């Protein structure tokens, strides 16, 4: 990749106390790309974004953003980025417009340009009518839209979004993902985001990197990753011991990989849907405990489970 | 990967070393004075001291030294009450910025990080200087007998400024380390007010027990007050002699100002160091 917007090589971070949050991570993000860092809580996503936004000091390796070294040229890195944090980070003493104005001053935008840019982005985000209200009166979705507007004000080369939809209701989450996709096209910025909402990332990211315990375990476009896995899956719901079902599935030869077991579900990636359908009827009537069977398209969540041996749990999805 | 682009991202501009300082300073000032109650709160105490408490003290205690106009004596000393209290109180704003996350936005801004606590300190300094002006202006109107000059005013504001910066350095360190308003709150009177009682504000330090007197000579409050009185009450006992015991008032004032400069530089340097350590993992 020539002149990547983000370049991470053998990145390590060990926190005081010995916790190794990032263990030799490496990836690149092309100019104009939307790249998703996926993984459960504690995988190392936020630490990685912390290094890239210069709020976490790396213990080893190298990272460059917009061509600038994150430690040696930290101010230049910060001049090239916009950040949307996981938690709301607005100055509650001020109005929406004043919050944006503070940002333009800190980023050194000329006054004339700043006012025009603020007006444009407030309109784009549907906040023009509430621009002069105190941000304390904003809903969660409005606050998040204002934060995205703020991150884009100085026309950053790279925008970092740390779990941008966490804590928002599903309708607002959908709206924000659409907005992010639209803004990439309109603003031309590179976007790096972290999320554990895998289905949402699948819809918006050009490429994703799957992080597990501080390491990159899979990388590619969502379609590539899903195709590599299956692209289809057989999912069998089992009553009782799944071991006979796993053995029976393996014996059919339909699986592209070994079956995985999560609770009562036995899942196996397949290459040939017709062949799998043929064998499913037999498996269901063998009396080995199969109570339901489905063939479905694999998802990033399946890719994640396959690569890490561990699904993103319902608890993390809700976090 | 082809992407339709309307506006090309610009490259990172080269930023001056102090870029952002003015913006951070104005924000701090604006946050502190944003509400009417905030403004009244900053200036109510000095007004009450000068108009009510100082005259009352003059009536009750004014006869202890006939050569001193006691009202003027305590009017000057009110600066060493108000300024440290303001500095300590503004440490709460640091905790609020951390609690509500605004600090995180500043940390990813293209400004040099030490400028953030330094801008805070300049905001507090501005308020403190305004308070000193209010105190002395009202005292003058109320009948204080100041004997000063432009140089005397420089001594006064120099000492007040350095005391403010030094104590704000302590406030910033404590606010960054403690991080909880309920834990920080009790420190405001403990650090902001207690030393005032022993710095010669209401009576000369020479009447204190010998051990306590020796300790008060180390206190920045004592040095600041003596320099302020040197600047505003020329020809009377400033208290500098009790500290240094030298013949030249000017030399002693310069020494005390030097102590205050070291105090301010030391606490602000520690505040910047603490800021860097506590805000970057």
């Amino acid at each position: 990749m020539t002149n990547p917007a983000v370049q991470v090589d053998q990145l390590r971070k060990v926190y005081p106390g010995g916790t190794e949050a990032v263990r030799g991570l490496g990836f690149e993000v092309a100019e104009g790309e939307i790249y998703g860092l996926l993984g459960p809580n504690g995988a190392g996503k936020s630490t990685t974004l912390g290094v890239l936004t210069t709020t976490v000091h790396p213990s080893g390796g190298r990272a460059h953003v917009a061509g600038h070294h994150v430690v040696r040229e930290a101010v230049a890195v910060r001049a090239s980025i916009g950040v949307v944090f996981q938690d709301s980070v607005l100055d509650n003493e001020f109005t929406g417009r004043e919050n944006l104005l503070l940002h333009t001053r800190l980023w050194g935008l000329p006054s004339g340009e700043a006012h025009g840019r603020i007006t444009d982005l407030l309109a784009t985000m549907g906040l023009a009518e509430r621009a002069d209200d105190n941000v304390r009166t904003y809903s969660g979705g409005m606050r998040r839209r204002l934060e995205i507007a703020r991150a884009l004000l100085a026309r950053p080369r790279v925008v970092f979004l740390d779990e941008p939809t966490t804590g928002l209701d599903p309708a607002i989450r959908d709206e924000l993902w659409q907005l992010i996709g639209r803004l990439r096209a309109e603003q031309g910025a590179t976007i790096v985001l972290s999320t554990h909402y895998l289905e949402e990332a699948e819809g918006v990211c050009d490429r994703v990197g799957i992080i597990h315990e501080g390491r990159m375990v899979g990388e590619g476009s969502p379609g590539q990753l899903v195709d590599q896995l299956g692209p289809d899956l057989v999912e069998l719901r089992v009553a009782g011991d799944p071991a006979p079902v796993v053995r029976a599935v393996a014996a059919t030869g339909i699986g592209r990989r070994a079956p995985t077991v999560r609770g009562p579900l036995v899942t196996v990636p397949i290459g040939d849907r017709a062949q799998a359908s043929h064998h499913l009827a037999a498996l269901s009537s063998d009396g080995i405990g199969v109570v339901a069977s489905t063939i479905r398209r694999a998802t990033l969540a399946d890719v994640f489970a396959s690569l890490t041996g561990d699904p993103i749990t319902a608890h993390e999805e809700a976090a | 990967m082809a992407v339709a682009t309307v506006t090309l991202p610009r490259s990172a501009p080269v930023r001056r070393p102090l870029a952002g300082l003015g913006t951070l300073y104005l924000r701090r000032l604006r946050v502190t004075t944003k509400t009417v109650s905030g403004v009244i709160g900053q200036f109510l105490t000095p007004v009450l001291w000068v108009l009510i408490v100082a005259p009352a003290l003059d009536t009750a205690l004014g006869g202890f030294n006939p050569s001193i106009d006691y009202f003027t004596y305590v009017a000057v000393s009110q600066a060493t009450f108000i300024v440290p209290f303001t500095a300590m109180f503004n440490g709460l704003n640091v905790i609020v910025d951390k609690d509500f996350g605004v600090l995180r936005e500043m940390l990813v801004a293209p400004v040099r990080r030490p400028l953030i606590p330094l801008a805070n300190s300049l905001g507090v300094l501005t308020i403190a200087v305004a308070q000193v002006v209010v105190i002395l202006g009202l005292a003058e109107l109320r009948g204080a007998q100041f004997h000063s000059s432009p140089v005397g005013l420089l001594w006064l504001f120099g000492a007040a400024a350095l005391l403010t910066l030094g104590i704000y350095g302590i406030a910033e360190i404590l606010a960054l380390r403690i991080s909880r308003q309920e834990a920080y709150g009790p420190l405001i009177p403990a650090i902001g007010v207690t030393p005032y009682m022993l710095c010669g504000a209401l009576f000369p330090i020479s009447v204190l027990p010998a051990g306590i007197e020796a300790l008060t000579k180390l206190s920045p409050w004592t040095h600041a007050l003596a320099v302020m009185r040197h600047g505003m009450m020329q020809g009377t006992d400033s208290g500098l002699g009790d500290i240094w015991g030298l013949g030249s008032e000017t030399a002693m004032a310069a020494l005390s100002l030097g102590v205050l400069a070291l105090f301010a530089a030391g606490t602000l340097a520690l505040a910047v160091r603490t800021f860097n350590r506590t805000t970057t993992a």
Side-chain angles (χ1 to χ4, degrees):
Chain A
M1 195 179 289
T2 53
N3 297 323
V6 176
Q7 193 171 23
V8 176
D9 183 29
Q10 288 296 310
L11 187 69
R12 285 181 62 245
K13 176 60 187 178
V14 182
Y15 284 105
T19 303
E20 195 172 2
V22 178
R23 309 172 185 204
L25 200 65
F27 62 94
E28 291 184 351
V29 182
E31 197 86 51
E33 191 174 26
I34 298 184
Y35 187 92
L37 286 172
L38 311 184
N41 294 332
K45 307 186 301 290
S46 290
T47 298
T48 304
L49 289 190
V51 170
L52 296 175
T53 57
T54 79
T55 57
V56 173
H57 197 87
S59 308
R62 287 178 303 166
H64 289 79
V65 175
H68 302 293
H69 192 280
V70 294
V71 176
R72 290 197 298 269
E73 302 168 287
V75 174
V77 167
R78 296 200 288 271
S80 307
I81 65 174
V83 185
V84 177
F85 300 96
Q86 183 173 348
D87 305 315
S88 179
V89 176
L90 290 173
D91 214 330
N92 285 322
E93 300 300 322
F94 299 129
T95 66
R97 190 186 304 279
E98 288 169 336
N99 267 276
L100 300 188
L101 201 55
L102 176 71
H103 182 96
T104 61
R105 287 175 179 156
L106 285 173
W107 264 256
L109 254 68
S111 178
E113 182 187 351
H115 286 284
R117 188 96 179 117
I118 287 169
T119 303
D120 289 349
L121 278 166
L122 283 169
T124 302
M125 296 293 171
L127 292 169
E129 291 186 2
R130 297 291 305 279
D132 297 312
D133 292 347
N134 191 294
V135 294
R136 283 184 201 278
T137 65
Y138 283 23
S139 67
M142 289 170 69
R143 291 176 74 92
R144 189 42 50 104
R145 277 184 277 148
L146 185 68
E147 287 169 329
I148 293 174
R150 183 178 63 186
L152 294 168
L153 269 174
R155 293 200 180 89
R157 286 186 62 189
V158 185
V159 180
F160 292 97
L161 305 160
D162 188 5
E163 305 275 1
T165 56
T166 297
L168 301 177
D169 66 51
I172 295 174
R173 281 179 7 210
D174 285 347
E175 181 189 311
L176 278 179
W177 286 122
Q178 287 173 24
L179 187 65
I180 288 166
R182 205 173 78 225
L183 288 172
R184 185 269 295 271
E186 289 175 0
Q187 307 289 330
T190 307
I191 296 174
V192 179
L193 60 89
S194 74
T195 185
H196 52 247
Y197 292 117
L198 301 182
E199 287 75 12
E200 294 180 355
E202 204 168 343
V204 75
C205 294
D206 299 315
R207 285 193 308 134
V208 297
I210 295 177
I211 302 182
H212 183 58
E213 295 177 346
R215 293 189 181 90
M216 186 71 79
V217 294
E219 191 184 37
S221 72
Q224 279 174 344
L225 289 172
V226 167
D227 286 348
Q228 281 168 18
L229 178 68
D232 296 316
L233 292 175
V234 163
E235 193 169 79
L236 302 165
R237 183 168 293 277
V238 179
D241 182 7
V245 176
V246 170
R247 281 196 297 274
V249 168
T252 63
I254 61 172
R256 291 180 62 171
R257 296 182 188 210
T260 57
V261 180
R262 297 200 300 271
L265 289 179
V266 175
T267 309
V268 59
I270 57 169
D272 185 335
R273 255 183 119 98
Q275 183 198 14
S277 296
H278 173 72
H279 285 286
L280 277 186
L283 286 169
S284 299
S285 60
D286 271 357
I288 53 176
V290 175
V291 294
S293 60
T294 343
I295 298 177
R296 63 170 173 80
R297 175 90 181 150
T299 65
L300 268 185
D302 299 311
V303 173
F304 183 86
S306 165
L307 291 173
T308 66
D310 191 20
I312 287 192
T313 64
H315 170 73
E316 285 158 344
E317 289 278 0
Chain B
M1 190 163 299
V3 174
T5 304
V6 172
T7 314
L8 284 172
R10 61 183 197 172
S11 56
V14 176
R15 305 220 74 195
R16 297 186 310 277
L18 294 180
L21 180 65
T23 300
L24 292 167
Y25 161 75
L26 289 173
R27 178 202 169 258
R28 166 60 60 219
L29 209 54
R30 187 122 187 260
V31 166
T32 311
T33 59
K34 171 95 175 148
T35 60
V36 174
S37 60
V39 175
I40 290 174
Q42 303 281 350
F43 291 94
L44 184 63
T45 309
V47 170
L48 286 177
W49 266 102
V50 173
L51 297 184
I52 297 170
V53 180
L57 287 170
D58 185 26
T59 304
L61 308 169
F64 87 94
N65 184 344
S67 68
I68 289 178
D69 172 34
Y70 192 72
F71 175 68
T72 309
Y73 186 80
V74 291
V76 176
S77 74
Q78 293 325 302
T80 55
F81 176 83
I82 296 300
V83 159
F85 188 81
T86 296
M88 283 301 295
F89 192 78
N90 272 277
L92 285 172
N93 286 326
V94 176
I95 298 176
V96 171
D97 281 354
K98 282 177 69 179
D99 280 354
F100 290 97
V102 183
L103 181 60
R104 297 184 68 193
E105 162 78 353
M106 295 179 201
L107 290 174
V108 296
V111 299
R112 279 155 182 80
R113 299 245 168 87
L115 297 183
I116 298 171
L118 291 177
N120 288 345
S121 69
L122 292 178
V124 173
L125 176 62
T126 303
I127 294 162
V129 167
Q131 288 177 321
V132 171
V133 169
V134 168
I135 290 170
L136 297 181
L138 286 175
E140 175 90 22
L141 293 172
R142 187 71 174 71
Q145 304 294 311
F146 295 125
H147 298 282
S148 189
S149 62
V151 175
L153 288 173
L154 285 179
W155 285 115
L156 170 90
F157 284 109
L162 292 172
L163 184 66
T164 305
L165 293 173
I167 295 169
Y168 183 73
I170 294 172
E172 178 97 22
I173 293 165
L174 292 172
L176 289 165
R177 290 276 179 210
I178 291 172
S179 292
R180 284 171 39 239
Q181 293 189 47
E182 58 271 30
Y184 182 86
L187 296 175
I188 296 173
I191 295 173
V193 180
T194 306
Y196 160 81
M197 305 293 181
L198 299 171
C199 74
L202 304 175
F203 45 79
I205 61 171
S206 56
V207 303
L208 288 167
I212 303 291
E213 184 191 357
L215 281 177
T216 62
K217 289 179 185 176
L218 301 174
S219 163
W221 279 253
T222 310
H223 289 275
L225 178 55
V227 175
M228 288 180 200
R229 284 194 176 130
H230 169 72
M232 296 303 289
M233 299 177 69
Q234 290 166 6
T236 59
D237 181 13
S238 64
L240 285 166
D242 291 338
I243 301 172
W244 299 104
L246 304 176
S248 165
E249 276 274 317
T250 304
M252 291 189 291
L255 284 170
S256 282
L257 209 59
V259 169
L260 288 168
L262 284 175
F263 171 60
T267 64
L268 284 178
L270 273 176
V272 168
R273 187 163 175 262
T274 306
F275 183 86
N276 286 334
R277 288 192 167 195
T278 55
T279 56
T280 306

